[in-house]
Amino acid sequence: MASDSFEVRAIGRVESPLTDADSAPRQGDEGAPDAWIEFGSDFLDALDGVEPGDRIVILSWLDRADRDALTVHPRGDTSRPPAGVFATRSPHRPNPIGLHPVEVLAVDGPRVKVAGLEALDGTPVLDVKPVLEGEISER
Amino acid sequence: MASDSFEVRAIGRVESPLTDADSAPRQGDEGAPDAWIEFGSDFLDALDGVEPGDRIVILSWLDRADRDALTVHPRGDTSRPPAGVFATRSPHRPNPIGLHPVEVLAVDGPRVKVAGLEALDGTPVLDVKPVLEGEISER
C-alpha cells in the first residue's frame, strides 16, 4: 500500500518585519511588506537562474496553523457562515502550505528579496517555482 | 531552535488515465485529461463550498521525484543548459510539491472531478485552495 505521509524540510526562512499574526495582512496585495528569504547553503545551486524581475510562487509552511480545522469562517469574519477550509485560503488546514505569488527584487547569494510577502518572520520556506506565462496575472 | 522538518499527509489521491510519467503532459494546458480526486472520508467537511465551475489549485505530492536534484535541464531538454530547480517547474526538487490550477467539473461526496490535470494516477493530494480573483488568469 502506498504511503500516506511524507516529510518536508525547510529550504529557507522568511526574514520580515511581520511578527504578529493578528495584525498581518491576509494576502500579499493587502499591504504586505518586502521581505528577504534566507536559503540554506545546501540549496544555493537550486537558485541558479532566479533573477530580479522574475515572478515566482513561494511555498511556505504555515507553522502557526491549526491542522485539525476542517471548517472556518472566511477571513475570520464570524458573521459569515463557516466554509470548508478547501474552499478558503485560511492558513488553518490539514497541510498548512501557503502560496505566495511575489516578484523578485534582488538576489544576493543565498538571500532573495521579494515584494509584498504576507508571511510572518521565521516562517519556513518549502519551495520556490517560477510563475508560468499566463498562469498568474498582474495583481 | 525551530524545527526544520514537518510531516504532510495525503488528504486524497488522483484517479487518472495517466499512468506513465514519460508520456504525461508537463503542464495541465498541454493536453492533460480530466481526472477525479478521491478525498479521504475524514476530510469531507473541508470540501464544503467547493462547487462545479470553481477555479482551484491542487497541491500534490510528486512521489516519483528525485529530491536530491538541485539543477535540471529545463523540460528535460539536454540541449538547454541546466538551471536551478527553483527557476524551473521540474518535479525534481527538495520538496516535490506540485501546483495544478484546474477547474472543478463535478462534486460527488468525497469525489471531485477536475479538468486538465497532468498528475499521474495515484498521486497523493496535499491541499486544495480556491484561486483568488485576479491571481491566475485564463489559460
Side-chain angles (χ1 to χ4, degrees), chain B:
Chain B
M1 190 177 135
S3 173
D4 271 337
S5 69
F6 316 97
E7 187 187 49
V8 294
R9 52 194 160 153
I11 59 167
R13 296 256 171 196
V14 172
E15 292 179 7
S16 168
L18 287 180
T19 56
D20 176 12
D22 292 333
S23 63
R26 290 175 181 275
Q27 301 300 334
D29 58 357
E30 297 177 0
D34 299 346
W36 287 90
I37 315 290
E38 169 101 35
F39 289 86
S41 55
D42 291 352
F43 302 106
L44 195 54
D45 286 349
L47 285 171
D48 185 42
V50 175
E51 306 284 354
D54 288 356
R55 290 192 61 81
I56 61 173
V57 183
I58 294 170
L59 283 71
S60 68
W61 183 255
L62 303 168
D63 52 358
R64 286 96 165 164
D66 173 7
R67 301 186 66 176
D68 294 324
L70 295 177
T71 62
V72 293
H73 293 281
R75 297 181 64 88
D77 179 351
T78 54
S79 72
R80 297 172 68 178
V85 293
F86 299 152
T88 81
R89 291 288 281 251
S90 169
H92 307 302
R93 51 210 311 118
N95 294 304
I97 299 168
L99 292 187
H100 314 274
V102 294
E103 182 180 340
V104 176
L105 297 175
V107 180
D108 179 14
R111 291 166 53 79
V112 175
K113 188 179 187 183
V114 301
L117 181 65
E118 77 277 20
L120 296 176
D121 186 57
T123 298
V125 171
L126 300 182
D127 197 11
V128 169
K129 299 180 192 293
V131 172
L132 298 182
E133 195 174 346
E135 185 180 60
I136 298 191
S137 59
E138 294 302 312
R139 300 185 62 173

Side-chain angles (χ1 to χ4, degrees), chain A residues 8-15 26 37 39 57-65 89-91 93 95-102 117-129, chain B residues 6 8 59 95 97 99 126-127 129:
Chain A
V8 294
R9 52 194 160 152
I11 58 167
R13 298 257 170 195
V14 172
E15 293 179 6
R26 290 175 182 275
I37 315 291
F39 289 87
V57 183
I58 294 171
L59 283 72
S60 69
W61 183 255
L62 303 168
D63 52 357
R64 285 95 166 165
R89 291 289 282 250
S90 169
R93 51 209 314 118
N95 294 305
I97 300 168
L99 293 188
H100 314 273
V102 294
L117 182 65
E118 76 277 21
L120 296 175
D121 186 57
T123 299
V125 172
L126 301 182
D127 198 11
V128 169
K129 299 180 192 291
Chain B
F6 316 97
V8 294
L59 283 71
N95 294 304
I97 299 168
L99 292 187
L126 300 182
D127 197 11
K129 299 180 192 293

Side-chain angles (χ1 to χ4, degrees), chain A residues 29-67:
Chain A
D29 58 357
E30 296 177 0
D34 299 345
W36 286 91
I37 315 291
E38 170 100 33
F39 289 87
S41 54
D42 291 352
F43 302 106
L44 195 53
D45 287 348
L47 286 171
D48 186 41
V50 175
E51 306 283 353
D54 289 355
R55 290 191 62 81
I56 60 173
V57 183
I58 294 171
L59 283 72
S60 69
W61 183 255
L62 303 168
D63 52 357
R64 285 95 166 165
D66 173 7
R67 301 186 67 175

